[in-house]
Each structure stands twice: as C-alpha cells, then as structure tokens.
Amino acid sequence: MELSRPQPGFRVLRDYVAFYAGAVDECFVDGERVTPQPGDFYGGWITSHVAGPFKGVPGSRFW
C-alpha cells in the first residue's frame, strides 16, 4: 500500500496529522488549551467539551 493511496475507509484522514497531546509543551483546539489524557498509553485530548471519567488515572486500569 502506498502512503498516497489509503484504503477506502481511511481516505477521510488522508490530509491530517495525529500526535499525542502529552508529547508537546502545549496544544490548543479551537483556542482552548487541551489537557492530555492521563497515563502513558492513551492519546486523548481533553477539553471542556468532553465529559469524563477518563481512563488512565490511577485505579482505572482494565475498565
């Protein structure tokens, strides 16, 4: 599979880039600073528009 020819179900993502919010000093979504989802494994971006609970905090393993 060529990088320029994604499978049909993934074509909508073709021109986007993804990265973990915790890997950068700060990140903003629509002007709001995001909070990285807790834990080393998860890549969620938490804003005021997202309701918890959030997996990754101590005691949330194996939900």
Side-chain angles (χ1 to χ4, degrees), residues 21 32-38 44-52 54-55:
E32 180 180 351
R33 185 176 181 177
V34 301
T35 301
Q37 185 173 351
W45 298 35
I46 300 171
T47 68
S48 62
H49 300 284
V50 182
F54 302 104
K55 193 168 185 174

Side-chain angles (χ1 to χ4, degrees), residues 1-16:
M1 178 176 73
E2 294 179 35
L3 291 178
S4 61
R5 294 186 185 171
Q7 296 295 312
F10 298 96
R11 287 185 183 144
V12 297
L13 303 174
R14 181 180 182 157
D15 296 321
Y16 292 87

